[in-house]
Amino acid sequence: MFEIYKKELLELLRDKKTLFFVIALPLLIFPLIMGFMAFLSSQAAMSAEQKVHQFAIVNPEFAPTFSERLFYHKSFKQAKTQGEYTSVEDLVEAVKTNQIDVGIFISADPTQAMTEGKQTSWSIVFNDAKAISFIYSRIEDLQKKFSDELVGNALEKAGIEKRVHQAVLHPIQLKKVDTADKRENLGEKLGGIIPYLLIPLILAGAIYPAIDMGAGEKERGTLETLLLTPVSRTQLVLGKFFTLLTTSVSSAIITVLSLSLWVGIAISFIEIGVVKNAFASVGFKEFALIFMLLLPVAAILSSLVLAISIYARTFKEAQNYMDSLNLLVILPMMASVMPNMQLNSTTALIPITNVSLAIKDIIKGTIDVGSMWLIFASTAVLGGVLLVCCVRWFSRESVLFR
């Protein structure tokens, strides 16, 4: 078995494609892609934050204070076509033809309407399909300030002193006291992303060597030679399995080390408040726990891809079968980020989902040791069962020589 393991490992080390997926992808290329995506996202958010929007108001005389504040707001600029619009339909057409970015239709004088006991309605016309837009929130802030002033004036006219306005308007004030610390709060949001980085890379680290060891041997005609050696079928499978386990575990180690390294670099050189707060309390112990959980996952995926590769007639057929494995891995990970999905004795038995939930809890600092051992045991049992099936699969001539 050791000779088979050594042979397969040496062949893989000579394969540039395998080295790319096991070492280069998690160590350099993936962090570079993630960094580039983060840079693009921050640039898009900054661009949206700094953008000056052209606006037009219909009936600005009904709310002169609001109109004046909007005119002098740093993020808004009055359109030259301001006087050409008289209705909501005109504003909709102007936004659609890019004459303005936002149009505001004030239907009536809010001060007069208030004295009559009526509420006025304003229409904010803009294109809300853009992923990052601050138009509505900025206008809403200005409108709220204007409304508060109108109410304050009305209360003063009614003889209510200014110092008690807040008590009259908001007799009850809610104070949010969050029992979760910063790490738990941010870990809940960021911890769900970590499995999406780690588990697919472990799968990628197993897929490409596996295709070569099963279907590749068939295509090259070297499988028959291997079967003639004085090594049992079980030893052959174990040799190939441990080779795959080595590559996928190597991928996991490199990924975890790469993640800790790049996070450390990011925290040291760049002031990323969210990342710094989330990972400030995550140390070697947490990364070791994550790695320990990934080991049985690597065993499951290694057994699975080896069985598929042994079954496939050709390299291409094996690739087609294994493409669907990505979906098999991603769907359980998606389940782990569903609302109210928590790690308990039931979810600890669902493969992939359990590890994703556990990684999130490790980042949050709320991992339950009992649940973690249950995950480790159930995943290890599943990996063992799949390995036994793989050995039986490899012992059937009808599978080997399809």
Side-chain angles (χ1 to χ4, degrees), residues 24-303:
L25 190 65
L27 188 63
L28 293 173
I29 296 173
F30 203 71
L32 280 176
I33 293 172
M34 292 296 294
F36 183 64
M37 294 301 294
F39 173 75
L40 285 182
S41 302
S42 63
Q43 289 296 308
M46 192 182 296
S47 173
E49 173 75 29
Q50 295 175 346
K51 186 173 180 182
V52 176
H53 304 284
Q54 296 244 7
F55 74 92
I57 302 181
V58 178
N59 302 323
E61 65 277 8
F62 288 155
T65 309
F66 170 83
S67 304
E68 187 180 350
R69 283 184 184 144
L70 192 64
F71 182 83
Y72 288 109
H73 197 288
K74 65 177 182 180
S75 299
F76 293 100
K77 180 182 178 184
Q78 192 173 54
K80 293 178 182 174
T81 52
Q82 158 79 23
E84 298 178 9
Y85 315 114
T86 57
S87 64
V88 174
E89 289 72 22
D90 290 344
L91 294 174
V92 170
E93 189 61 30
V95 170
K96 282 185 176 178
T97 54
N98 295 322
Q99 294 177 45
I100 58 173
D101 296 312
V102 56
I104 302 162
F105 182 83
I106 302 175
S107 58
D109 186 340
T111 307
Q112 186 179 347
M114 184 183 285
T115 57
E116 296 170 358
K118 295 178 183 176
Q119 190 179 40
T120 53
S121 173
W122 295 12
S123 297
I124 312 299
V125 183
F126 69 108
N127 186 343
D128 199 21
K130 293 180 180 176
I132 305 175
S133 173
F134 299 100
I135 290 179
Y136 190 80
S137 60
R138 284 168 178 161
I139 291 179
E140 194 175 34
D141 288 342
L142 291 173
Q143 173 272 331
K144 187 175 180 306
K145 196 173 178 181
F146 179 63
S147 295
D148 288 345
E149 287 175 359
L150 288 181
V151 174
N153 292 337
L155 289 175
E156 281 187 25
K157 285 180 182 176
I160 299 174
E161 294 180 22
K162 192 173 183 178
R163 62 182 178 81
V164 295
H165 284 183
Q166 283 300 316
V168 172
L169 291 171
H170 309 289
I172 299 172
Q173 186 180 26
L174 292 180
K175 262 188 180 175
K176 184 179 176 183
V177 181
D178 191 358
T179 57
D181 57 24
K182 281 186 179 177
R183 176 181 172 182
E184 187 178 347
N185 216 332
L186 291 169
E188 176 67 27
K189 298 173 180 70
L190 294 178
I193 302 171
I194 304 297
Y196 282 94
L197 304 179
L198 298 178
I199 297 177
L201 281 172
I202 289 175
L203 179 63
I207 279 181
Y208 293 94
I211 293 175
D212 188 65
M213 286 182 203
E217 294 259 24
K218 283 185 181 180
E219 271 197 333
R220 291 194 300 272
T222 53
L223 184 61
E224 290 84 352
T225 309
L226 201 60
L227 293 172
L228 290 173
T229 56
V231 181
S232 69
R233 299 286 173 93
T234 303
Q235 288 175 319
L236 277 175
V237 172
L238 288 177
K240 289 176 179 291
F241 166 76
F242 282 117
T243 309
L244 288 179
L245 191 63
T246 302
T247 58
S248 55
V249 167
S250 300
S251 182
I253 293 172
I254 292 169
T255 305
V256 173
L257 288 176
S258 172
L259 180 69
S260 55
L261 177 70
W262 285 106
V263 168
I265 291 172
I267 289 173
S268 303
F269 292 97
I270 308 169
E271 191 58 34
I272 308 174
V274 175
V275 177
K276 194 170 183 175
N277 290 332
F279 290 96
S281 305
V282 180
F284 175 77
K285 182 186 168 187
E286 282 74 19
F287 282 114
L289 288 175
I290 291 173
F291 172 70
M292 199 175 88
L293 284 170
L294 293 176
L295 276 178
V297 174
I300 289 177
L301 297 176
S302 298
S303 305

